[in-house]
């Protein structure tokens, strides 16, 4: 009874004190909100361009908002309570008071202002060329002065084509990014002659982080752009190559105010006036400036022909583009007769033209004519098939030339590619193509818009080019003339070919480019009158089927259907006997096309899964098909199973990516290859089909999964660079080192092996014997091998160990990662030391019994503590307690490693987030795996990480092959892995603790995905 009375007394006290607590809360909340208002006022004054709010301030403001919301909800609950239940809320009010007081105290700790420097990206650095002439310097200074003057909102840079307007603005763009904190963002947009509002909106959106769904109309898109740009306190919008007045409001560009700027370049002074710009004219070079530039490009060895060369220079009319192209094509020529002939050609051209623009084209065509070789000229003209101002991938362009027959046919595709590259270098040296730029790891070229206009003028009757013009309907059949040879409608992403459209009568057309047009269908008879067609590119279209008229294109040499993600079948290929290239990667085709065995000229076959779609297509190529394709040089079929003996019989094979059922099939392949060169690049999968997509650690690799390793020795290619083994059970003596089971197809050591990854292999205690350690290994990763005790074992008897020191030198080893090895006791047996001169990353995660390192890093010797920060070394450890308690047994003291130790906060050092999507899918079937699927997806979306989950932005390979064919480290790899790790860390933090030990040693995406699947199957 006393207990009950005490409870009642306490409740009555709470009831009486509730009102006082609420008054206290209200008073303190008013004080907190006053501080919030003051903070926001200071924030508005301090938050200038290139500054950002301190993280602690941002969090504080968010917490104040949250507490205000919670107090409002609490007041509502109290108001709805009865007289009997009101007292139960006293404790909640007390907690709110405490939290408000803590926030007030936190505010007093904001020292040194509320903002810090914001180094984030505000624009794109552009490639520039050196500029000549005093007038150019004056022009740059004038533009810069206008940009710094808040009274000048719009600037129009105008002048004739080829005078250098774009080059000047590229310099200004880079200078803005580097030298001033005046602007929040600098946006460069290339407009071009055929201005299209939808394309402009799309380009601007990509630069300011706005994503369109594709369903919005023009007005909605404009509104979204307007709203986002208006939030940028100061922006610079550079519209390059404007040909007519731009409708700012219709596009969604706010009228610049409050220091924002609109800058445009144009050939027309009227455009500047119509937009209301401060006009700045770019003048041609003076005669002496032009001559100086001419000498620089033509070389100083022309002094003997200087009078004539000066006259040639004068014909360029002071236009830098004309000077550069004409001087470049005359470089190295010292024969006075050739110079006289060149001057005569230029003089005749000048007499035959009307208007300055025509004169410019005639200057540029002079360089084109000097190429002399018709095939070289056609290679140049083919560059105009791409959209204006596009960065053209070098490989794509050269493959187009090869397909068109413009590159001399040779014994190998690599030789043809090298020849194509020589042609490209010739065009660049003549300044008919702009120099290489980098896009990822691919080289690109670009065609100046004036040169493209000239090329289209030369090829006017032969080319129909409407690439990247946002067409919604294919050109009328009348535009498809009988004389057409090449048609390009690529990158018109809403294009439709009406089903009622008549078949174009183009008997001479050899090239038809329709990639990236969102085509859903093609009329049945569309190709009926295109008998000469050689190249048909339909890549990247959601087309479901192809017209049967395609089957009669008997001259077709290239059929490109990559990433047609809805395509399920193609018509019979039986009649395409001269087809050299067939690309079906990333489609939904499940069986090889009918008649493929008749493609006796086929050199390139790609049936791989798409990087973005991540879809396996054809299960296997039936026996007897590949043996008939004796010309194959590139066989890229991914996870499609192929017959080892038939593949080995392809004597011209240069690139191989495919899958064998087992080690026996691999052996059959190597036997068939005996006595000749193996492919220069290969990735061979063996065993289980479920592989991790990104295992690219070199140009020559074997990736095995789910294959038992028996007592007999397994033969590998003699020049193998990467070996990746997962989920393989060792069916032989535990004491026998795993790697000793492998031998090369020639009697040599594993001197080419650079990367070795061993995961989840059972019944294995030792990895290497002393005499089989690959000497040039660069990466060694071992994880999830539950019985592994030693990495390198010793042949010395136990009683003799310690008396003899054996050193194993791996001078090129950069990464040594050991994960989830519960029985691992030593890296080297007693008496052995692993010497690593180049180690950069050393990782030990959950290896609780590891005591003996046997590791020697010479670069740590004689390094004073003050210099350790300059050494490139990272030691990743988990758990921290293991490192603190381990009794170090090694040639170097443990203290030497301490400055480089980082304690991992995550279990999985993932290379890709493929497993995230898999795991989230599984989580709906078992609530134990993750706390809440919906919350997980919402969190991912709130951070805009869907692209990483869906595979549309996947990590780059750890190594890449440079232009000289050498494997090098990829600079982008570490950055992307860091992003992956951050998301992986968050994801694993949502996982129930009882599951975490099951993921020890799972290092790759597939390992985690498989373990997640297995855990759910067994209902852990």
């Amino acid at each position: 009874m006393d207990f009950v009375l005490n409870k009642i007394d306490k409740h009555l006290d709470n009831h009486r004190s509730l009102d006082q607590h609420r008054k206290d809360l209200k008073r303190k909340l008013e004080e907190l909100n006053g501080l919030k208002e003051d903070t926001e006022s200071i924030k508005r004054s301090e938050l200038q361009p290139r500054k950002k709010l301190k993280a602690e301030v941002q969090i504080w403001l968010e917490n104040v908002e949250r507490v205000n919301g919670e107090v409002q909800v609490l007041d509502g609950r109290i108001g709805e309570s009865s007289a009997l239940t009101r007292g139960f809320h006293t404790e909640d009010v007390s907690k709110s008071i405490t939290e408000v007081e803590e926030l007030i105290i936190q505010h007093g700790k904001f020292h040194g202002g509320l903002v810090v420097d914001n180094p984030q990206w505000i624009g794109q650095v552009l490639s520039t060329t050196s500029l000549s002439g005093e007038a150019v310097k004056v022009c740059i200074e004038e533009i810069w002065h206008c940009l710094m003057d808040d009274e000048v909102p719009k600037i129009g840079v105008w002048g004739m084509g080829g005078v250098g307007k774009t080059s000047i603005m590229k310099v200004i763009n880079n200078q803005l990014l580097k030298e001033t904190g005046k602007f929040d963002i600098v946006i460069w947009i290339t407009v071009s002659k055929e201005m299209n509002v939808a394309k402009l909106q799309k380009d601007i959106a990509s630069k300011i982080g706005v994503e369109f769904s594709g369903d919005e109309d023009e007005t909605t898109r404009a509104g979204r752009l307007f709203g986002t740009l208006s939030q940028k306190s100061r922006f610079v919008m550079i519209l390059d190559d404007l040909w007519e007045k731009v409708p700012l409001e219709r596009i969604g560009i706010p009228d610049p105010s409050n220091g924002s700027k609109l800058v445009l370049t144009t050939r027309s002074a009227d455009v500047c006036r119509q937009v209301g710009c401060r006009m700045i004219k770019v003048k041609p070079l003076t005669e002496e400036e032009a001559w100086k530039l001419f000498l620089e490009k033509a070389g100083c060895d022309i002094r003997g022909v200087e009078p004539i060369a000066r006259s040639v220079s004068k014909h360029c009319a002071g236009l830098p583009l004309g000077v550069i192209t004409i001087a470049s094509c005359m470089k190295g020529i010292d024969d006075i007769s050739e110079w006289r002939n060149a001057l005569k050609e230029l003089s005749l051209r000048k007499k035959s033209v009307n208007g300055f623009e025509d004169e410019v084209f005639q200057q540029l065509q002079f360089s084109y004519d000097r190429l002399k070789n018709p095939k070289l000229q056609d290679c140049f003209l083919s560059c105009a098939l791409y959209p204006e101002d596009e960065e053209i991938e070098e490989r794509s362009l050269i493959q187009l030339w090869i397909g068109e027959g413009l590159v001399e046919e040779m014994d190998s595709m690599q030789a043809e590619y090298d020849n194509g590259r020589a042609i490209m270098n010739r065009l660049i040296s003549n300044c008919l193509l702009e120099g290489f730029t980098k896009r990822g790891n691919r080289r690109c070229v670009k065609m100046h818009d004036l040169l493209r206009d000239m090329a289209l003028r030369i090829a006017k009757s032969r080319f129909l080019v409407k690439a990247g013009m946002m067409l919604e309907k294919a050109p009328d059949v009348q535009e498809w003339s009988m004389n057409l040879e090449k048609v390009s409608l690529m990158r018109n992403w809403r294009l439709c070919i009406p089903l009622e459209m008549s078949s174009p009568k183009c008997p001479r057309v050899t090239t038809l480019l329709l990639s990236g047009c969102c085509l859903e269908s093609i009329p049945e008879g569309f190709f009926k009158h295109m008998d000469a067609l050689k190249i048909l590119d339909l890549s990247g279209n959601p087309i479901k089927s192809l017209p049967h008229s395609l089957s009669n294109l008997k001259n077709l040499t290239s059929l490109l259907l990559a990433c047609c993600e809805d395509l399920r079948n193609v018509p019979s290929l039986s009649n395409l006997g001269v087809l050299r290239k067939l690309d079906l990667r990333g489609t939904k085709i499940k069986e090889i096309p009918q008649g493929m065995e008749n493609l006796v000229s086929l050199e390139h076959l790609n049936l791989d899964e798409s990087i973005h779609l991540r879809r396996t297509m054809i299960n296997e190529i039936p026996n007897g098909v590949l043996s008939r394709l004796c010309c194959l040089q590139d066989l890229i079929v991914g996870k499609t199973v192929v017959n080892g003996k038939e593949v080995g019989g392809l004597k011209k094979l240069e690139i191989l990516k495919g899958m064998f059922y087992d080690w026996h099939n691999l052996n059959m392949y190597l036997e068939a290859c005996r006595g000749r060169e193996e492919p220069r690049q290969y990735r061979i999968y063996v065993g289980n089909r479920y592989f991790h997509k990104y295992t690219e650690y070199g140009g020559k690799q074997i990736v095995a999964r789910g294959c038992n390793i028996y007592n007999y020795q397994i033969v590998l290619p003699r020049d193998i660079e990467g070996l990746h083994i997962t989920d393989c059970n060792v069916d032989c003596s535990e004491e026998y080192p795993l790697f000793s089971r492998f031998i090369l197809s020639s009697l040599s050591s594993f001197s080419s092996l650079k990367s070795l990854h061993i995961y989840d292999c059972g019944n294995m205690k030792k990895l290497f014997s002393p005499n089989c350690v690959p000497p040039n290994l660069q990466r060694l990763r071992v994880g999830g091998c539950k019985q592994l005790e030693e990495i390198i074992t010793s042949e010395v008897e136990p009683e003799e160990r310690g008396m003899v020191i054996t050193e194993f030198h791996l001078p090129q080893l950069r990464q040594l990662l050991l994960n989830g090895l519960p029985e691992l006791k030593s890296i080297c047996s007693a008496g052995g030391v692993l010497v690593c001169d180049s180690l950069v990353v050393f990782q030990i995660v959950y290896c609780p019994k590891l005591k003996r390192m046997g590791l020697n890093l010479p670069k740590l010797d004689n390094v004073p503590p003050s210099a350790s920060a300059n050494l490139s070394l990272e030691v990743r450890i988990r758990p921290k307690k293991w490192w603190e308690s381990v009794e170090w047994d090694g040639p170097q003291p443990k203290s030497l490693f301490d400055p480089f130790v980082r304690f991992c906060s995550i279990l999985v050092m993932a290379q890709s987030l493929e497993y995230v999507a898999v795991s989230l899918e599984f989580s709906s079937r078992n609530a134990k795996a993750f706390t809440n699927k919906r919350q997980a997806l919402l969190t991912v979306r709130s951070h805009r990480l869907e692209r990483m989950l869906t595979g549309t932005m996947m990590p780059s390979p750890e190594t890449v092959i440079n232009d000289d064919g050498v494997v090098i480290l990829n600079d982008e790899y570490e950055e992307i892995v860091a992003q992956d790790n951050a998301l992986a860390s968050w994801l694993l933090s949502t996982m129930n603790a009882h599951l975490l030990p099951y993921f020890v040693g799972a290092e790759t995406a597939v390992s985690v995905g498989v373990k997640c699947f297995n855990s759910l199957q067994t209902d852990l």
Side-chain angles (χ1 to χ4, degrees):
M1 187 67 180
D2 290 341
F3 173 77
V4 174
L5 291 174
N6 287 336
K7 284 288 184 182
I8 292 172
D9 287 342
K10 184 176 181 181
H11 180 65
L12 290 174
D13 288 341
N14 287 341
H15 191 283
R16 286 189 291 268
S17 64
L18 176 62
D19 290 336
Q20 183 59 46
H21 278 79
R22 291 183 71 189
K23 288 178 183 177
D24 291 345
L25 177 59
K26 182 179 179 181
R27 178 175 51 80
K28 290 184 181 297
L29 195 60
E30 287 174 351
E31 180 183 354
L32 178 64
N33 285 325
L35 293 173
K36 175 176 175 282
E37 289 179 13
D38 293 343
T39 301
E40 288 179 333
S41 297
I42 297 170
K43 180 185 82 170
R44 283 192 290 272
S45 65
E46 291 186 357
L47 201 57
Q48 298 299 320
R50 309 240 184 148
K51 297 287 184 181
K52 67 176 181 179
L53 206 59
K54 287 180 179 177
E56 59 178 338
V57 178
Q58 184 65 47
I59 293 169
W60 184 85
L61 288 170
E62 290 172 358
N63 283 334
V64 173
E65 284 293 327
R66 177 182 54 77
V67 166
N68 272 292
E70 290 173 354
V71 170
Q72 189 174 355
V73 170
L74 181 59
D75 283 343
R77 289 208 308 268
I78 294 172
E80 294 171 359
S81 300
S82 65
L84 291 175
T85 59
R86 286 180 85 249
F88 291 115
H89 295 293
T90 303
E91 187 175 348
D92 293 333
V93 174
S94 297
K95 288 180 179 178
S96 294
I97 291 172
T98 302
E99 189 164 7
V100 169
E101 289 173 341
E102 288 175 353
L103 287 171
I104 292 171
I105 293 170
Q106 286 177 18
H107 181 273
K109 296 180 180 179
F110 294 159
H111 301 299
L114 304 181
V115 300
V116 291
D117 291 335
N118 184 8
Q120 73 175 27
W121 177 90
I122 66 158
Q124 178 64 55
V125 176
L126 302 173
S127 59
T128 58
T129 56
S130 58
L131 301 176
S132 302
E134 192 61 35
V136 169
K137 292 180 183 177
V138 172
C139 186
I140 289 175
E141 289 174 3
E142 188 176 355
I143 295 170
W144 190 260
H145 177 75
C146 290
L147 284 168
M148 297 300 111
D149 185 351
D150 288 344
E151 300 299 317
V152 183
K154 301 176 184 177
I155 305 162
V157 181
W158 73 283
M160 63 188 70
V163 79
K165 303 181 294 296
T166 298
S167 297
I168 286 171
M169 284 312 303
K170 282 182 176 181
V171 170
I172 293 286
N173 176 88
N174 294 352
Q175 200 170 331
L176 282 170
L177 300 182
K178 183 171 60 176
E179 294 186 11
T180 179
K182 186 177 177 69
F183 301 104
D184 290 328
I185 188 169
V186 180
I187 306 158
W188 179 285
I189 302 293
T190 302
V191 182
S192 302
K193 191 172 186 177
E194 304 291 341
M195 186 180 71
N196 182 286
V197 171
K199 183 177 184 300
L200 273 177
Q201 290 176 326
K202 183 181 176 184
D203 291 344
I204 294 171
S206 69
K207 298 291 177 70
I208 63 175
V210 172
E211 294 184 5
F212 295 143
S213 66
D215 299 330
E216 301 98 337
D217 59 19
E218 183 183 286
T219 304
T220 303
R221 291 194 298 268
R224 292 192 60 194
L225 294 178
F226 187 92
T228 303
L229 285 170
S230 299
Q231 291 172 7
K232 310 281 184 187
S233 55
R234 291 193 174 196
F235 66 83
V236 178
M237 176 80 71
I238 301 172
L239 301 178
D240 183 44
D241 197 17
L242 206 61
W243 286 70
E244 57 186 280
K245 180 183 177 182
V246 60
L248 298 182
E249 183 179 342
R250 185 177 160 198
I251 292 168
I253 302 173
D255 210 44
S257 59
N258 299 323
S260 291
K261 304 285 180 177
L262 175 68
V263 186
L264 54 90
T265 72
T266 179
R267 300 180 193 180
S268 168
D270 288 341
V271 170
C272 295
R273 280 190 285 268
Q274 290 166 2
V275 177
C277 295
R278 171 79 64 85
M279 294 168 59
I280 300 174
K281 184 177 182 180
V282 181
K283 298 176 182 177
L285 301 173
T286 65
E287 188 175 311
E288 276 305 310
E289 289 170 345
W291 171 243
K292 184 179 178 182
L293 179 60
F294 192 95
L295 274 179
E296 179 187 324
K297 298 300 178 181
C300 294
D301 53 351
I302 65 170
R303 296 289 181 180
V305 293
E306 182 173 335
I308 299 174
R310 274 186 175 273
S311 298
V312 171
S313 174
K314 287 180 185 178
H315 276 281
C316 300
L319 294 183
L321 181 62
V323 172
I324 290 168
T325 51
I326 291 176
S328 297
C329 76
M330 297 300 293
K331 188 172 185 176
I333 297 174
D334 55 10
D335 186 336
I336 195 168
S337 300
E338 285 203 52
W339 280 94
R340 278 198 296 261
N341 185 57
L343 180 59
K344 184 178 180 181
E345 284 183 33
L346 284 167
S347 300
L348 290 172
R349 291 173 191 277
K350 190 167 184 178
K351 291 177 184 177
S352 67
V353 299
N354 295 311
F356 197 86
E357 188 172 287
D358 280 347
E359 185 177 337
V360 173
F361 281 131
Q362 291 296 336
Q363 292 174 20
L364 300 179
Q365 189 168 342
F366 171 81
S367 298
Y368 165 81
D369 291 338
R370 295 287 301 180
L371 293 174
K372 295 181 179 177
N373 184 325
K375 286 194 173 182
L376 197 59
Q377 291 175 333
D378 281 344
C379 285
F380 167 73
L381 296 179
S382 289
C383 300
L385 297 173
Y386 290 84
E388 185 173 349
D389 294 304
E390 172 146 324
E391 287 189 352
I392 309 168
E393 286 185 3
E394 177 190 63
R395 181 166 291 276
S396 168
L397 181 56
I398 292 175
Q399 287 173 346
L400 176 65
W401 292 343
I402 292 171
E404 291 180 323
L406 301 177
V407 177
E408 183 182 350
E409 198 168 327
M410 297 183 174
D411 290 338
S412 73
M413 295 185 77
Q414 182 62 41
E416 290 178 2
Y417 179 81
D418 293 341
N419 192 2
R421 194 164 184 193
I423 291 172
M424 183 170 287
N425 290 337
R426 175 86 181 274
L427 295 176
I428 291 169
S429 66
N430 281 316
C431 291
L432 291 170
L433 287 180
E434 291 185 23
F436 294 119
T437 57
K438 290 283 186 180
R439 189 165 69 189
N441 289 303
R442 299 185 178 184
R443 305 214 310 171
C444 300
V445 293
K446 196 173 182 181
M447 199 177 199
H448 192 283
D449 56 350
L450 267 179
L451 288 165
R452 184 176 183 271
D453 289 344
M454 179 197 74
L456 292 177
R457 182 179 284 201
I458 292 170
K460 185 175 182 180
S461 62
R462 298 185 290 134
F463 284 20
L464 173 59
V465 180
K466 296 195 174 184
M469 292 173 57
M470 306 293 285
L471 297 184
E472 296 188 5
K473 181 184 175 185
D476 292 335
V477 72
Q478 292 84 357
E479 294 187 57
W480 300 70
S481 69
M482 296 281 286
N483 295 324
L484 280 181
E485 295 175 9
K486 298 179 184 180
V487 178
S488 175
L489 303 177
M490 65 166 73
R491 316 275 202 280
N492 287 299
W493 55 282
R494 290 182 175 177
L495 189 71
C496 169
I497 303 177
L499 293 177
E500 64 275 11
M501 180 176 172
S502 303
S503 173
K505 291 182 172 60
C506 302
R508 299 174 61 183
V509 73
T510 59
T511 301
L512 178 56
L513 307 179
L514 291 166
S515 59
C517 290
C518 287
L519 282 174
E520 295 184 0
S521 62
I522 297 176
E524 183 56 41
F526 189 74
F527 303 115
K528 186 176 180 181
H529 303 298
M530 298 185 186
D531 295 336
L533 195 62
K534 290 183 177 181
I535 299 176
L536 176 58
D537 188 353
L538 290 166
S539 303
N541 286 300
I543 195 163
K544 294 180 175 62
S545 62
L546 299 171
H548 286 87
S549 55
L550 183 146
S551 297
N552 298 319
L553 299 175
K554 296 181 180 180
N555 291 303
L556 202 64
T557 59
S558 297
L559 179 55
L560 311 177
L561 301 167
C563 299
C564 293
E565 56 188 80
D566 295 323
L567 186 65
R568 296 181 182 276
N569 56 72
V570 296
S572 173
L573 306 180
S574 295
N575 294 329
L576 309 187
V578 298
L579 193 69
R580 297 179 64 192
K581 183 172 183 177
L582 177 61
D583 192 346
L584 294 171
R585 71 183 186 274
T587 65
K588 285 185 178 176
I589 295 172
K590 298 298 182 185
E591 296 180 356
I592 65 168
Q594 181 184 348
M596 198 171 86
E597 65 275 8
N598 294 335
L599 305 181
V600 293
S601 301
L602 197 65
E603 297 174 349
H604 175 98
L605 175 62
N606 195 331
L607 304 177
D608 201 2
E609 59 184 333
S610 162
I611 289 176
H612 301 304
L613 301 176
R614 306 173 65 74
R615 176 185 295 130
T616 302
M617 306 168 296
I618 299 167
N619 287 331
E620 66 178 311
I621 297 179
N623 291 338
V625 174
L626 290 177
S627 58
R628 298 189 61 179
L629 309 182
C630 56
C631 292
L632 267 182
Q633 297 179 29
D634 295 354
L635 178 60
I636 305 170
V637 295
K639 314 299 173 47
T640 299
V641 175
V642 291
N643 181 291
K645 188 175 181 180
E646 289 190 21
V647 175
L650 299 173
K651 298 180 180 180
K652 295 185 177 182
L653 207 60
E654 296 183 12
I655 297 176
L656 169 62
K657 180 182 177 184
M659 180 174 171
F660 297 141
Y661 272 124
D662 50 27
W663 297 116
H664 175 66
N665 236 272
L666 174 62
N667 188 53
M668 289 173 62
Y669 160 73
L670 293 172
E671 280 292 323
C673 289
R674 189 181 294 275
R676 71 169 194 271
E677 284 294 316
E678 293 165 1
R680 61 182 173 82
Q681 185 179 333
Y682 56 80
R683 188 180 321 135
I684 299 172
Y685 300 98
V686 182
N688 191 312
R689 186 179 293 275
Y690 187 46
F691 284 101
H692 179 37
K693 176 72 180 175
Y694 290 87
T695 52
E696 302 181 29
Y697 301 106
K700 301 174 180 181
Q701 53 184 304
I702 302 289
V703 185
R705 183 181 188 87
C707 299
N708 285 348
I709 298 173
Y710 299 103
N711 281 315
Y712 61 79
Q713 290 189 306
I714 296 167
V715 182
L716 299 176
R718 59 179 173 269
D719 55 358
I720 184 172
E721 296 176 356
L723 179 60
H724 189 141
I725 300 175
T726 305
D727 285 340
C728 292
N729 200 51
V730 183
D731 287 347
C732 54
S733 170
E734 291 182 349
E735 299 299 324
Y736 200 86
L738 171 66
F739 199 73
S740 299
R741 297 279 53 142
F742 297 100
I743 61 171
L744 297 178
S745 56
S746 63
L747 297 176
S748 60
S749 65
F750 282 86
S751 57
S752 298
L753 191 66
K754 297 179 174 64
S755 218
L756 177 62
H757 292 202
I758 309 291
Y759 298 111
D760 296 329
C761 290
N763 200 34
M764 173 187 68
K765 288 190 175 182
K766 300 172 173 55
L767 181 55
F768 297 115
S769 61
N771 58 354
C772 71
V773 181
N776 297 314
L777 208 57
Q778 295 178 7
R779 287 171 296 279
L780 175 60
R781 301 184 177 190
V782 186
C785 301
K786 305 304 181 186
Q787 288 83 39
L788 185 65
E789 296 179 359
E790 292 178 331
I791 302 297
I792 304 176
T793 190
S794 174
E795 292 181 346
V796 180
E797 294 300 324
E799 59 271 12
E800 298 179 22
R801 292 178 185 173
M803 301 170 60
V804 179
I805 299 296
T806 304
E807 289 189 343
F808 302 99
H809 288 265
L810 291 178
Q812 297 183 41
L813 189 68
R814 295 177 59 82
Q815 294 183 355
L816 175 58
L817 278 64
L818 307 174
N819 298 328
L821 305 172
E823 298 298 323
L824 184 67
K825 297 179 177 64
S826 64
I827 294 175
C828 290
S829 298
V833 175
L834 180 61
V835 182
C836 304
D837 301 281
S838 307
L839 198 64
V840 175
V841 178
F842 177 38
Q843 178 174 308
I844 303 174
V845 174
Y846 288 104
C847 302
K849 295 185 179 181
L850 181 59
K851 302 296 182 186
R852 173 168 173 74
M853 294 296 166
L855 186 66
N856 184 10
L857 307 186
K859 65 181 181 182
L860 296 185
D861 293 332
N862 304 316
V863 175
S866 58
S868 61
N870 299 323
L871 281 182
S872 179
L873 176 63
E874 184 177 0
V875 180
R876 302 171 182 167
I877 301 295
R878 184 176 178 93
K880 183 178 181 181
K881 288 183 179 178
W882 172 83
W883 179 259
E884 292 172 344
S885 63
V886 67
E887 297 179 6
W888 191 265
D889 179 11
Q892 292 172 306
K894 178 182 171 184
S895 58
L896 276 182
F897 292 79
D898 283 334
F900 309 100
V901 169
R902 180 169 68 86
F903 297 105
C904 304
S905 59
I906 60 174
L907 292 170
V908 182
M909 309 302 290
Q911 296 168 25
S912 130
L913 289 179
E914 177 183 14
Y915 75 93
V916 179
V918 174
S919 300
L920 289 174
E921 188 63 31
F922 290 153
S923 68
S924 64
R925 294 160 48 188
N926 189 319
K928 290 183 179 180
F930 293 87
T931 55
N932 188 305
K933 177 181 179 182
R934 177 174 172 78
Q935 183 58 46
L937 289 171
L938 287 173
T939 304
V940 168
R941 286 172 185 154
S942 71
H943 291 283
R944 297 185 177 180
L945 296 166
E946 298 100 318
R947 291 174 61 225
M948 298 177 77
L949 300 184
T950 56
T952 57
M953 186 188 81
M954 298 306 301
S956 302
E958 187 172 351
T959 60
V960 292
I961 302 173
N962 68 11
D963 298 325
D964 299 320
V966 179
V967 177
I968 59 173
L969 291 173
N970 185 357
D971 293 337
E972 296 181 353
Y973 177 81
E974 289 297 333
E975 180 182 348
I976 298 178
V977 168
Q979 296 174 16
D980 291 351
N981 289 344
L983 183 52
S985 178
W986 164 78
L987 182 69
L988 289 168
S989 71
T990 70
M991 194 182 296
N992 284 350
H994 77 280
L995 276 179
L996 291 178
Y998 189 73
F999 285 81
V1000 171
E1003 188 176 349
T1004 65
V1006 167
S1007 299
V1008 176
V1010 169
K1011 285 180 178 294
C1012 184
F1013 179 77
N1014 290 340
S1015 73
L1016 295 172
Q1017 292 285 70
T1018 55
D1019 196 27
L1020 283 180

